């Protein structure tokens, strides 16, 4: 079998084994307990029955996730540039960034609802807070990890601080930035979901997947709850693939992490 | 013609530790135009310190240094940087190319900074001309990771040439290269030198130093030897010999396989 085919066949086989085990587990349970683990078939049926609700909720969650993710990416990049310029600035701000990261969203959420109201704004802010930290930390690390020899070379040429940043530090930090972006991409849909769960609003069909999860669990619609989880996974995959594509586009022609085939 | 380098009794004393380190202890030296000098010595001999002073990266504690007739020991930091950009080209052991940047753009880099900026068209022409000198004009749009070590070092040499320096300073330029590629790079230096470029090269390898025209040996901060190179190696001839030996080895291997 060709390696390419094997790469497709292996995960497919793993999936088949897992689904078989899933059905096995379902039917091994006592009949009255089987509702705890709906079968993949039942989950598919839930998708069919609740398709329009799930799709609308997924779109709402995507909106919050995209907004929060976008704000986090741009703000963190600018902040990282600021932080990279001086060690005293880094030292004075880092502890507070840590505090921001350590504060649980569950506690921030009700405060946010008071400040900006329940709904998209709160969801965006919560996604922002969750995505922000790995982006700042990675990008700052990248900006201060520039090859010393090259920094000295630029100093030798008398390049200005701005030229050094633009031609040397920022390009060299891009792989770090994309590492942060990848982590943030997996966090963004989860952040939006948690935001929706804790500070979402269903007014005007504005509810997202988190809101749907509350409703389905209160109605004991377990197959639909599993379908909601699967939808969130798909969202995460889409976000991650988007960032991977972006990262490939930005890095593949010069960075060693992408092997070149034309050599 | 005035010498490119004229240093008179220079000393360098580092005061950083408990005990001051007297790294260079009174070196006098004249390097004329079109010379090709190897600076040799064990680590700690003061050759890197001397090289840094020649490169205007560091100032002597005592003594005078005339670079192309200008007394650089009197200049302040900014003036030193300007002199560096105008009169000197540097080649390093580790190539120091920018990764995200094509060979041509890497060569252009030194033109982007400093006092006088040329037009981007002129810059491009100049960079292309320098790539052509090192035989890489057909690799202009390649990224460093698409080039071999020897090619990367040749790009770095082209970059050192782009500001038309009076003096090319190379610090262990073959230190990261295998022996064959080292000969190729030395061939590039020899060609440049024939075209009239003055070169000073730090090396600790005798094999490499033999490609230069004159060699200096430093020990404990003083020059203990300063002589023209006897039976100098010529890169072209050495490469031809290497090729011959390889062909012979292949024939031998083919012969033994047939038998």
């Amino acid at each position: 079998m060709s390696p390419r085919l094997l790469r497709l066949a292996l995960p497919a086989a793993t999936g088949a084994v897992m689904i078989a085990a899933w059905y096995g587990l379902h039917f091994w349970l006592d009949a009255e307990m089987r509702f705890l683990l709906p079968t993949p078939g039942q989950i598919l049926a839930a998708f069919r029955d609740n398709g329009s609700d799930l799709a609308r909720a997924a779109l709402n969650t995507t909106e919050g996730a995209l907004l929060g993710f976008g704000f986090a990416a741009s703000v963190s990049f600018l902040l990282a540039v600021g932080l990279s310029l001086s060690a005293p600035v880094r030292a004075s701000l880092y502890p507070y960034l840590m505090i921001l990261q350590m504060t649980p969203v569950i506690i921030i959420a009700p405060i946010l609802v008071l400040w900006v109201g329940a709904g998209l704004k709160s969801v965006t802010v919560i996604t922002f807070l969750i995505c922000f930290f790995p982006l700042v930390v990675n990008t700052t690390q990248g900006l201060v990890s520039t090859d010393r020899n090259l920094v000295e070379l630029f100093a030798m040429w008398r390049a200005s601080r701005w030229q050094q940043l633009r031609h040397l530090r920022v390009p060299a930090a891009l792989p770090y930035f994309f590492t942060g972006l990848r982590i943030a991409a997996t966090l963004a849909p989860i952040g939006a979901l948690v935001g929706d769960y804790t500070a979402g609003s269903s007014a005007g069909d504005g509810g997202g997947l988190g809101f749907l999860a509350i409703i389905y669990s209160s109605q004991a619609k377990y197959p639909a709850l599993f379908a909601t989880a699967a939808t969130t996974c798909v969202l995460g995959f889409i976000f991650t693939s988007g960032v991977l594509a972006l990262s490939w586009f930005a890095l593949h022609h010069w960075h060693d992490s992408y092997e070149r085939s034309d050599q | 013609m005035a010498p490119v380098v004229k240093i008179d009794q220079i000393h360098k004393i580092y005061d950083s530790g408990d005990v001051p380190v007297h790294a260079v202890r009174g070196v006098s030296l004249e390097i004329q135009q079109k010379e090709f000098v190897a600076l040799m010595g064990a680590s700690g001999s003061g050759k890197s310190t001397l090289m840094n002073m020649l490169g205007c990266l560091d100032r002597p504690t005592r003594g005078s240094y005339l670079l192309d007739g200008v007394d650089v020991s009197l200049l302040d930091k900014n003036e030193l940087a300007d002199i560096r950009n105008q009169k000197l080209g540097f080649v390093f052991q580790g190539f120091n190319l920018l990764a995200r940047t094509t060979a041509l753009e890497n060569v252009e880099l030194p033109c982007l900074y400093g006092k006088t900026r040329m037009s981007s068209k002129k810059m491009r022409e100049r960079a292309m001309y320098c790539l052509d000198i090192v035989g890489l004009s057909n690799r202009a749009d390649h990224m460093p990771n698409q080039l071999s070590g020897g090619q990367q070092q040749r790009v770095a040499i082209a970059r050192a040439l782009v500001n038309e320096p009076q003096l090319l300073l190379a610090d262990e330029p073959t230190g990261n290269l295998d022996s064959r590629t080292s000969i190729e790079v030395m061939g590039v230096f020899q060609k440049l030198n024939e075209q009239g470029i003055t070169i000073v090269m730090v090396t600790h390898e005798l094999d490499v130093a033999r490609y230069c025209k004159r060699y200096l040996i430093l020990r404990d901060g003083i020059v203990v030897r300063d002589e023209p190179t006897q039976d100098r190696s010529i890169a072209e001839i050495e490469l031809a010999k290497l090729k011959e030996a390889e062909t012979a080895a292949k024939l031998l291997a083919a012969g033994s396989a047939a038998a």
Side-chain angles (χ1 to χ4, degrees):
Chain A
M1 205 184 275
S2 78
R4 198 192 163 86
L5 209 62
L6 209 64
R7 261 212 311 270
L8 292 173
L10 283 177
T14 314
V17 169
M18 275 164 63
I19 287 175
W22 191 332
Y23 272 104
L25 199 60
H26 176 84
F27 288 109
W28 174 78
L29 287 170
D30 292 331
E32 66 272 22
M33 297 303 278
R34 283 182 192 155
F35 75 95
L36 286 176
L37 187 67
T39 61
Q42 289 171 320
I43 296 169
L44 280 178
F47 262 114
R48 195 189 53 221
D49 297 341
N50 304 285
S52 63
D53 283 348
L54 278 168
R56 195 170 51 238
L59 273 182
N60 288 333
T61 299
T62 306
E63 194 182 0
L66 264 183
L67 280 172
F69 179 73
F71 278 126
S74 21
V75 172
S76 67
F77 187 83
L78 292 177
L79 184 66
V81 168
L83 287 174
S84 75
L85 291 177
S86 104
V89 172
R90 274 202 294 290
S92 46
L93 285 182
Y94 245 69
Y96 300 100
L97 285 173
M98 293 287 282
I99 288 173
L100 198 63
Q101 169 72 6
M102 299 303 171
T103 315
V105 169
I106 302 291
I107 295 167
I108 295 182
I111 301 172
L112 272 176
V113 172
L114 278 176
W115 286 355
V116 301
L120 185 62
K121 273 189 209 158
S122 287
V123 173
T124 303
V125 174
I126 287 170
T127 311
F128 172 89
L129 288 174
I130 287 181
C131 294
F132 182 64
F133 192 70
L135 275 163
V136 175
V137 172
N138 271 296
T139 312
T140 309
Q141 187 63 37
L143 287 167
V144 298
S145 307
T146 324
D147 184 350
R148 271 218 69 75
N149 287 320
L150 290 174
V151 173
E152 277 169 15
L153 193 66
F154 270 64
M156 209 178 81
W157 290 331
R158 252 186 118 180
S160 66
R161 224 183 155 92
W162 164 245
Q163 286 170 324
Q164 196 194 75
L165 192 69
R166 193 171 159 257
H167 293 128
L168 180 61
R169 286 192 190 272
V170 168
L174 277 183
Y176 291 81
F177 175 67
F178 277 107
T179 304
L181 216 54
R182 251 188 249 189
I183 299 171
T186 58
L187 293 176
I190 296 171
L193 189 95
V194 170
D196 196 48
Y197 193 91
T198 51
S201 156
S202 66
D205 286 335
L209 291 167
F211 201 76
L212 222 49
I214 299 177
I215 296 189
Y216 289 151
S217 67
S218 70
Q219 296 171 343
K221 287 167 90 173
Y222 296 112
L225 210 50
F226 273 79
T228 312
T231 310
T232 313
C233 284
V234 171
L235 218 57
F237 268 113
I238 294 173
F239 264 78
T240 313
S241 330
V243 167
L244 284 179
L246 210 63
S247 150
W248 181 88
F249 189 74
L251 304 180
H252 79 279
H253 58 290
W254 66 276
H255 199 251
D256 292 334
S257 60
Y258 293 91
E259 264 182 54
R260 300 192 58 92
S261 52
D262 59 355
Q263 267 183 350
Chain B
M1 227 184 295
V4 181
V5 169
K6 183 171 166 36
I7 55 182
D8 194 28
Q9 282 300 314
I10 59 170
H11 292 254
K12 183 70 194 182
I13 302 163
Y14 289 109
D15 263 332
S16 51
D18 299 335
V19 189
V21 177
H22 208 147
V24 170
R25 309 164 173 253
V27 170
S28 297
L29 184 65
E30 268 189 31
I31 296 171
Q32 307 296 330
Q33 276 179 19
K34 297 180 190 177
E35 280 207 74
F36 187 0
V37 183
L39 205 55
M40 301 189 65
S43 63
S45 62
K47 65 181 192 299
S48 296
T49 307
L50 182 58
M51 192 67 164
N52 283 345
M53 286 191 285
L54 286 178
C56 300
L57 297 166
D58 209 349
R59 259 181 297 192
T61 314
R62 276 207 306 277
S64 76
Y65 172 18
L66 297 180
L67 172 62
D68 199 29
V70 180
D71 191 346
V72 294
S73 36
L74 301 173
L75 303 180
D76 68 24
K77 229 176 138 184
N78 287 338
E79 290 168 325
L80 269 183
D82 285 333
I83 282 272
R84 256 192 334 250
N85 278 351
Q86 289 160 17
K87 296 192 186 292
L88 300 171
F90 294 86
V91 178
F92 308 92
Q93 178 173 1
F95 322 143
N96 291 351
L97 299 177
L98 286 199
R100 203 179 128 272
T101 312
T102 64
L104 186 67
E105 286 163 348
N106 261 296
V107 176
E108 284 176 358
L109 276 173
C111 309
L112 290 173
Y113 315 112
K115 258 197 326 204
T116 47
R117 288 199 50 175
M118 39 178 131
S119 71
S120 58
K121 184 168 169 281
K122 200 179 158 212
M123 204 159 78
R124 185 128 300 194
E125 278 171 15
R126 178 83 202 129
M128 205 60 207
Y129 172 73
C130 293
L131 272 183
D132 196 38
I133 294 177
V134 299
L136 284 176
S137 49
N138 58 340
R139 294 277 193 280
D141 58 347
H142 282 47
M143 299 285 169
N145 66 348
Q146 295 172 279
L147 299 169
S148 69
Q151 288 171 332
Q152 289 187 44
Q153 189 59 299
R154 275 147 70 194
V155 172
I157 294 171
R159 182 178 65 188
L161 294 173
V162 78
N163 274 341
E164 298 176 309
Q166 298 293 313
L167 177 63
L168 200 59
L169 296 169
D171 193 356
E172 303 271 8
T174 59
N176 286 5
L177 301 173
D178 62 64
S179 58
R180 188 204 182 90
T181 317
S182 295
I183 301 175
E184 283 169 12
V185 166
M186 290 315 294
V188 173
F189 280 122
Q190 285 188 330
K191 196 175 109 192
L192 292 173
N193 182 240
E194 273 161 34
Q195 291 171 359
I197 293 174
T198 315
I199 303 169
V200 176
M201 172 185 300
V202 165
T203 181
H204 64 268
E205 287 171 282
L206 199 60
D207 288 354
V208 172
R210 286 164 66 102
Y211 289 88
C212 304
K213 286 177 180 165
R214 168 184 172 191
Y215 72 99
L216 296 172
I217 297 179
L218 260 84
R219 192 181 298 146
D220 299 328
I222 52 170
V223 176
V224 293
R225 200 166 211 188
D226 180 357
E227 288 171 0
T229 312
Q230 300 297 320
D231 66 85
R232 185 177 174 221
S233 305
I234 303 298
E236 262 177 57
I237 298 172
E238 297 301 319
L239 281 175
K241 274 192 213 162
L242 213 62
K243 207 170 173 185
E244 223 170 83
E246 273 168 17
T247 321
K250 263 186 209 155
L251 282 177
L252 210 64
S256 61

